[in-house]
Amino acid sequence: MRQLADIPHPEAKITLFSWNGKYLIKLEKGQLEQTYKVSEMDVTSEADVRALLDDAFIAAAVLRFTHMRQDLQAAFDRHDI
């Protein structure tokens, strides 16, 4: 796996990788992470992948982190952990 870029953002750490014919977009916030795989056949360049990371995509991913944290906490609560 080759790291292509760290993309600065105040809400999450965003890293772009290239691996096995795919671009991987990895977003991290605290202990949670989301990874999106984009086939190199579906885009023409790394610039296209960066274009996918628009405000709407990032806002949805950040909201998803909130839901992920809530889901994890609910699981802890259900099992008294």
Side-chain angles (χ1 to χ4, degrees), residues 13-75:
K13 179 181 178 192
I14 304 172
T15 310
L16 182 59
F17 297 96
S18 176
W19 179 70
N20 201 24
K22 295 178 185 69
Y23 289 103
L24 279 68
I25 303 165
K26 181 177 178 182
L27 296 95
E28 300 175 76
K29 187 168 183 169
Q31 66 187 24
L32 302 172
E33 68 180 49
Q34 299 173 47
T35 302
Y36 298 85
K37 296 178 184 178
V38 178
S39 172
E40 289 178 354
M41 304 290 284
D42 292 338
V43 293
T44 59
S45 68
E46 181 182 328
D48 285 349
V49 177
R50 287 175 176 257
L52 295 173
L53 302 175
D54 60 12
D55 291 340
F57 180 89
I58 299 297
V62 169
L63 180 59
R64 194 167 296 109
F65 278 125
T66 300
H67 294 150
M68 290 169 68
R69 189 170 13 292
Q70 290 169 349
D71 292 344
L72 182 59
Q73 186 59 54

